[in-house]
Amino acid sequence: MALDALCLAAALREVREAVLGGRIDKIAQPGPHDVVLSVRGNTGNVKVFLSADPAHPRLHLTTLERENPASPPLFCILLRKHLSGARILSIEQPYMERTVTIALEATNELGDKVSRTLVLEAMGRHADLLLLDGEGRIVDSLRRVDAEMSAARQVLPGLYYEPPAAGERLPVTAETAEGFLDRLAAANPERQADAFLLDSYFGISPLMASEMVFRAAGETDCRLCGLGESGRTRLWGEVQRFVSAVLESRFTPVCLLRDGRPAEFSCLPVAQYGGAMETEIYGSFSGLLDAFYQAREQQERVRQRGADLLRTAATARDRLLSKLA
């Protein structure tokens, strides 16, 4: 499961409390898409993990020890040059978006105070991590985008940074009862109810969309025509409850386990799976994300080793058959 805007917001609350006003001591890049900032923060030394991995981009505090390459990558060297000793001034997330900006006060080669900004765009296959100068120009990024890759938005050193374009969907927190019912009336009645929510609003993840439909209709696989008038009213009620939890920041770090293995996570309780999944509550979102992705990476390594063994066995078999031929 990808990190949605709400889980990102919940994790950022923990990061802000730990590092605002703190200074960056060390910078490491353990993986091609991952950066770890060691920070002397308000409550002691902590580590902030930033990942622009297209499969699972994220930002949170971490306690995991990761192995670093013998020689730091060029992007890591660049960050060390510009951000070593920098003070963290603010950490902001545009409302209901999966983008984070970290404003920093750094020192240049002449000893002067300068502004720098780290931007994490945690948006799936378009995920990126960028360093900006004091004027908003791109110093460099993990993933450069030229005109051949995108005519609409380039990400290259020297260009002014342009945030990703906002979609046309309405923020779910801005909807009204009248507007919601009008949208329902205008929608294709054969449309899946969860798809209707995802197409109409941003700020709702696929998991939360299906959860609201489940709580309103008793099933996740429900079309709009199957809701009926009472079902539509119940669905609006679930949307309102979701919005209230968001506005009041009533988040709970929830991990869903299938056969004892982490399958999904959420910032709100999930009931749609019934007894098919177990629920585990964590004390922090950072702890949840550390555990969830560590388990996922271990599972991926096991699958990769299995695939490697199968390829090795197939190669040995082919060689043997060629000798016998």
Side-chain angles (χ1 to χ4, degrees):
M1 163 171 181
L3 186 73
D4 62 31
L6 295 184
C7 289
L8 178 59
L12 287 183
R13 290 179 64 190
E14 299 171 357
V15 175
R16 286 192 192 96
E17 292 176 0
V19 306
L20 276 187
R23 292 191 179 275
I24 298 174
D25 268 344
K26 298 179 182 178
I27 302 171
Q29 189 177 342
H33 308 289
D34 307 331
V35 168
V36 177
L37 306 178
S38 297
V39 180
R40 285 182 285 119
N42 301 321
T43 58
N45 297 331
V46 296
K47 293 181 180 179
V48 181
F49 183 77
L50 304 95
S51 178
D53 190 317
H56 35 75
R58 61 199 192 273
L59 188 158
H60 56 88
L61 299 175
T62 184
T63 59
L64 299 179
E65 294 296 329
R66 294 173 171 84
E67 185 176 350
N68 295 312
S71 299
L74 292 178
F75 189 69
C76 181
I77 295 173
L78 178 80
L79 292 183
R80 289 176 178 176
K81 174 184 175 182
H82 287 273
L83 301 184
S84 291
R87 188 163 65 94
I88 299 175
L89 303 178
S90 68
I91 302 175
E92 301 297 335
Q93 176 191 14
Y95 189 62
M96 304 294 277
E97 297 283 359
R98 289 177 294 167
T99 303
V100 179
T101 59
I102 304 176
L104 304 131
E105 181 185 70
T107 304
N108 64 15
E109 296 88 341
L110 301 177
D112 299 325
K113 299 295 183 183
V114 293
S115 297
R116 295 289 181 265
T117 305
L118 264 181
V119 180
L120 175 66
E121 298 176 349
M123 296 176 294
R125 63 190 180 91
H126 300 295
D128 204 353
L129 182 63
L130 308 92
L131 175 65
L132 312 183
D133 66 14
E135 297 181 347
R137 288 189 177 91
I138 299 170
V139 179
D140 210 344
S141 62
L142 275 177
R143 178 177 174 267
R144 295 182 179 182
V145 180
D146 59 25
E148 292 185 0
M149 300 170 67
S150 173
R153 179 177 180 255
Q154 286 81 56
V155 178
L156 295 171
L159 298 181
Y160 281 102
Y161 173 70
E162 294 290 340
E168 297 180 356
R169 294 175 297 167
L170 182 72
V172 65
T173 51
E175 186 56 288
T176 64
E178 182 180 2
F180 182 79
L181 295 176
D182 285 346
R183 286 176 184 269
L184 274 174
N188 183 345
E190 295 299 320
R191 190 73 172 139
Q192 292 287 133
D194 60 340
F196 162 77
L197 292 175
L198 293 172
D199 291 344
S200 302
Y201 308 102
F202 77 82
I204 300 178
S205 68
L207 178 62
M208 285 294 100
S210 60
E211 180 66 17
M212 283 186 270
V213 172
F214 174 79
R215 291 174 180 265
E219 59 178 336
T220 57
D221 189 19
C222 177
R223 300 182 187 275
L224 294 179
C225 59
L227 284 173
E229 184 175 348
S230 61
R232 295 181 177 213
T233 301
R234 288 195 301 272
L235 183 56
W236 170 241
E238 293 302 327
V239 171
Q240 285 182 298
R241 276 186 277 277
F242 173 81
V243 169
S244 294
V246 172
L247 296 178
E248 298 169 13
S249 298
R250 290 188 279 107
F251 300 138
T252 303
V254 176
C255 185
L256 300 171
L257 309 174
R258 181 185 288 115
D259 298 326
R261 297 178 180 178
E264 297 206 55
F265 60 83
S266 171
C267 60
L268 296 170
V270 177
Q272 61 187 274
Y273 296 111
M277 286 198 192
E278 302 173 48
T279 297
E280 184 175 359
I281 306 299
Y282 278 75
S284 70
F285 279 95
S286 294
L288 165 62
L289 295 174
D290 255 356
F292 183 89
Y293 285 110
Q294 183 183 37
R296 279 294 179 90
E297 290 166 4
Q298 289 174 343
Q299 293 170 19
E300 181 57 34
R301 284 195 292 269
V302 169
R303 283 194 294 269
Q304 187 60 50
R305 282 198 295 268
D308 291 343
L309 288 173
L310 288 175
R311 282 193 294 269
T312 301
T315 301
R317 179 201 60 199
D318 293 342
R319 287 175 179 173
L320 178 60
L321 290 175
S322 64
K323 289 180 179 180
L324 294 176

